[in-house]
Amino acid sequence: MNKHDQIENPSAEGHEADSLLAAFALGALDLDEQAELEALLATSPAHQKELRQLREVAALLPYATLAAEPPAHVKTQLFARVEADRATRLQAPAPSAAAPRVGRHMRRWMLPGFAVVLAVIVFALGNLTLMLSSTVRRLDEANRELTTAIAELQQSLTETQARQETLSGQLAASQDQWLAISDQWLASEDRIGQLNARLAYDQQIVTFVSAPGVATRELVPARPDASARGEMYMYPGEPNAVVLFSGLPTLETGEVYQFWLADGSSEVAAGTFQVDHTGIARLVVQAPREVNAFQRVMVTIEPDGGSATPGTTVVLAGSL
């Protein structure tokens, strides 16, 4: 190609250079063609930029294809084009020393080769699209599986919370039952304590009244028609005494029986008591001095808590 042809058809020269750039990016040039193209690149920033883009595409080609065997007719056509390109290159005349290698003879073999390169790139991009579609499907399946797993975990969490609430309710009920049992146990302990105290009190009375040398005094009702009786047990010279009562009527609420020791000038309160439903009661007397120093005893009905002086309602009386 002479300078006149290059001026008249500059687009053809640029198209041939583009074809060489594609082959250069794929490593398909011999040493002479590579040297001539590098000389062209040194003076053309546009071709340098295009070469960088082609090399980026070529670098992605190994990752764009899946492991697949191409159809037989594709391989046949590709090999046929390669053979035709080789034959064209062998039959082409040697270039003149003055003319650049990027000339008209390159159009005869580079254009078919460039078409092959484009076909390979299109094929690779198609495989890349298929691979991306397969990846998207796998990601979609993984997303659905993850969604299902999250739903199952949420259901399991809900069931666990329900079981925790049930256990909490059972624990609260158990605590209530335990508290009720504890209250019953405490009440039983109190009852047992009361019974033990009463038993000790009764044993003290039995021991006192059955001891040798004890003296007894009888308390009789103040009214002849009453059936109440009292029996007082004492030791001369001792301040203690025991009195057993029977036949006394149950008092109204807010009233108690009160026992008195009296001498010639005063009356001394010696304790209060209530009777059970059978009219029986027991009283241990703690006198301020020996019991036999007093002259008489009596039982009166007083307000709850007792009185400082005896009232007018005398129930029982006796002489010491």
Side-chain angles (χ1 to χ4, degrees):
M1 179 182 297
N2 54 34
K3 294 181 179 180
H4 180 71
D5 292 335
Q6 293 177 3
I7 295 174
E8 287 182 352
N9 195 7
S11 62
E13 184 72 21
H15 184 68
E16 291 176 358
D18 292 340
S19 301
L20 287 176
L21 287 174
F24 187 39
L26 295 174
L29 294 180
D30 57 25
L31 295 178
D32 294 338
E33 292 169 340
Q34 181 175 343
E36 292 177 2
L37 185 58
E38 288 177 349
L40 174 63
L41 291 171
T43 59
S44 177
H47 286 88
Q48 294 175 8
K49 179 179 180 181
E50 184 175 357
L51 178 61
R52 286 193 299 270
Q53 294 175 349
L54 289 173
R55 282 179 171 172
E56 291 175 358
V57 174
L60 294 175
L61 292 180
Y63 307 99
T65 59
L66 298 175
E69 183 71 19
H73 70 278
V74 174
K75 294 174 66 176
T76 302
Q77 293 176 1
L78 180 60
F79 291 153
R81 290 181 179 180
V82 171
E83 289 297 331
D85 180 65
R86 182 183 301 167
T88 302
R89 294 178 60 187
L90 291 176
Q91 295 173 3
S96 62
R101 294 295 297 273
V102 184
R104 183 173 299 174
H105 72 280
M106 288 188 176
R107 292 198 297 268
R108 291 195 298 268
W109 64 272
M110 287 302 298
L111 291 179
F114 185 66
V116 172
V117 172
L118 290 178
V120 172
I121 293 174
V122 171
F123 181 73
L125 291 178
N127 286 336
L128 178 61
T129 302
L130 292 176
M131 184 178 66
L132 291 176
S133 299
S134 177
T135 303
V136 169
R137 286 194 299 271
R138 289 196 299 270
L139 290 176
D140 184 61
E141 292 176 358
N143 183 56
R144 286 197 297 268
E145 292 176 356
L146 181 59
T147 302
T148 302
I150 291 175
E152 292 176 353
L153 288 176
Q154 289 177 342
Q155 182 179 0
S156 177
L157 179 60
T158 302
E159 293 175 355
T160 301
Q161 290 176 344
R163 287 195 295 269
Q164 289 179 346
E165 292 177 356
T166 301
L167 291 175
S168 298
Q170 293 176 352
L171 180 60
S174 299
Q175 289 177 344
D176 293 340
Q177 293 176 357
W178 183 83
L179 291 175
I181 293 173
S182 298
D183 293 340
Q184 293 176 359
W185 182 71
L186 292 175
S188 299
E189 279 194 335
D190 292 340
R191 179 61 177 167
I192 291 173
Q194 293 174 1
L195 292 175
N196 288 334
R198 183 170 180 177
L199 179 61
Y201 185 78
D202 291 343
Q203 288 176 346
Q204 180 183 2
I205 292 175
V206 171
T207 301
F208 191 91
V209 301
S210 61
V214 65
T216 62
R217 298 291 185 271
E218 184 179 5
L219 281 73
V220 298
R223 295 183 309 175
D225 58 344
S227 60
R229 292 291 184 274
E231 192 79 17
M232 183 174 177
Y233 299 85
M234 61 180 184
Y235 290 96
E238 295 291 335
N240 301 325
V242 172
V243 187
L244 304 179
F245 302 98
S246 63
L248 290 172
T250 303
L251 297 177
E252 298 292 336
T253 302
E255 293 180 333
V256 294
Y257 289 107
Q258 188 165 6
F259 187 80
W260 302 89
L261 294 168
D263 54 18
S265 60
S266 63
E267 294 87 10
V268 177
T272 60
F273 63 94
Q274 293 279 6
V275 298
D276 58 18
H277 64 282
T278 62
I280 295 176
R282 295 170 293 278
L283 177 65
V284 177
V285 177
Q286 299 289 337
R289 57 183 184 273
E290 61 273 14
V291 176
N292 58 311
F294 294 92
Q295 298 175 356
R296 56 190 176 88
V297 295
M298 59 183 175
V299 176
T300 61
I301 299 176
E302 305 293 341
D304 192 10
S307 301
T309 58
T312 59
T313 307
V314 179
V315 179
L316 294 172
S319 175
L320 298 181

